[in-house]
Amino acid sequence: MNEFIRYIDQRLDERRVDFWLSTARKLTEQDSRLSLYLVTDHNFPRNLRESYDCPPLIWVRGELSPEDNSSISIIGSRRASRDSLDFSYEAASAVAKSGFCVISGLARGIDTAAHRAAIDLSARTVGVLGFGIGYPLYPPENAVLAEKILDNGVLLTYFPPSSPPTPSSFVARNSVISALSKVSLLVDGEEKSGSRTEVEFALQQGRRVLFWRAAAEKHSWIRLFAMQENVGIVESSDDVVDELRRAYV
């Protein structure tokens, strides 16, 4: 491994690095709300830095806060039931009132409910994007929600500004969502979905994964995952808050 690292280091083109850093500076000068954070920066998100698959840099619109390091990632289906949407909102409200940041992916359904709960309480929330900042927001109906997030939160991505989304970019985005928190809560999700992918990433990263009991009763794949280590079942928002307090002792 050391030989491989030396191999990469010897072939690193410093001129190319300088070019991209210069380009990044120009982009941030053009947009006062846009910032580039390198993994070596002291205010790079701590949980993300500690992940084995940490990206070397992230682009952020808004201002990162130390509060973001005590957080929960709330994920689930874009086509969630009313009960699932209600629990996502309730759980996000409870953790926000307890001082934790709400992280999600700004997608339809569960993500939207989680972000909205934090916004309604003027609490911290982070929207993780599967495309570059500056590209038209997807889904478009959440453009207003994204602006409201910036009142007391950030939009974050590791894709360069204005990069379009691809099928794989949303999968890659999920690894960042899980890495930003020590705990992920899945409210609902089909077996073949981005939600399951995020759960897999979270477990690979050594994160705690929580499933809402109603989802576990509905989906056999969740019941199988629940047999693994570092996985729990929650029935109420109080259970979620209790889990977070133990995780961030």
Side-chain angles (χ1 to χ4, degrees), residues 127-237:
V128 184
L129 306 178
F131 46 88
I133 292 171
Y135 187 85
L137 193 86
Y138 181 84
E141 64 266 28
N142 275 355
V144 173
L145 184 68
E147 283 300 315
K148 289 182 177 179
I149 284 175
L150 294 175
D151 290 340
N152 193 29
V154 300
L155 302 178
L156 182 154
T157 182
Y158 72 80
F159 298 101
S162 299
S163 298
T166 67
S168 62
S169 69
F170 285 104
V171 175
R173 179 272 308 267
N174 291 340
S175 69
V176 176
I177 293 176
S178 59
L180 282 166
S181 301
K182 290 186 178 181
V183 180
S184 287
L185 168 65
L186 184 134
V187 179
D188 195 7
E190 299 297 327
E191 183 171 8
K192 295 182 179 180
S193 67
S195 299
R196 173 173 174 157
T197 302
E198 198 271 3
V199 166
E200 291 173 340
F201 280 131
L203 291 174
Q204 291 166 9
Q205 293 161 344
R207 305 309 201 223
R208 177 80 167 157
V209 171
L210 305 176
F211 293 114
W212 185 34
R213 181 170 295 281
E217 292 172 350
K218 179 180 177 183
H219 300 291
S220 60
W221 76 266
I222 291 179
R223 294 194 293 276
L224 290 174
F225 267 74
M227 298 177 185
Q228 300 185 48
E229 291 184 7
N230 218 17
V231 175
I233 300 290
V234 293
E235 295 189 22
S236 68
S237 56

Side-chain angles (χ1 to χ4, degrees), residues 12-164:
L12 186 65
D13 188 340
E14 292 185 5
R15 290 173 299 178
R16 181 171 295 180
V17 173
D18 290 341
F19 169 78
W20 284 112
L21 288 176
S22 175
T23 301
R25 280 193 293 270
K26 291 177 182 177
L27 289 169
T28 56
E29 289 170 359
Q30 294 168 5
D31 184 345
S32 61
R33 296 190 299 174
L34 180 66
S35 299
L36 173 65
Y37 291 85
L38 305 178
V39 68
T40 50
D41 291 342
H42 75 279
N43 49 356
F44 191 89
R46 184 177 64 235
N47 294 329
L48 184 59
R49 182 191 287 121
E50 293 173 352
S51 174
Y52 79 92
D53 54 355
C54 171
L57 58 85
I58 54 173
W59 295 89
V60 174
R61 175 162 282 168
E63 294 292 331
L64 290 175
S65 167
E67 298 173 59
D68 304 335
N69 293 316
S70 297
S71 59
I72 184 171
S73 296
I74 299 180
I75 57 170
S77 174
R78 291 175 171 83
R79 296 176 294 277
S81 67
R82 172 45 56 189
D83 286 346
S84 295
L85 293 173
D86 288 346
F87 184 73
S88 178
Y89 188 94
E90 177 187 335
S93 296
V95 301
K97 289 176 182 176
S98 298
F100 296 98
C101 175
V102 175
I103 294 174
S104 200
L106 253 178
R108 297 183 180 99
I110 296 301
D111 292 17
T112 296
H115 287 304
R116 197 175 300 283
I119 289 169
D120 288 348
L121 292 167
S122 298
R124 288 290 297 182
T125 184
V126 174
V128 184
L129 306 178
F131 46 88
I133 292 171
Y135 187 85
L137 193 86
Y138 181 84
E141 64 266 28
N142 275 355
V144 173
L145 184 68
E147 283 300 315
K148 289 182 177 179
I149 284 175
L150 294 175
D151 290 340
N152 193 29
V154 300
L155 302 178
L156 182 154
T157 182
Y158 72 80
F159 298 101
S162 299
S163 298

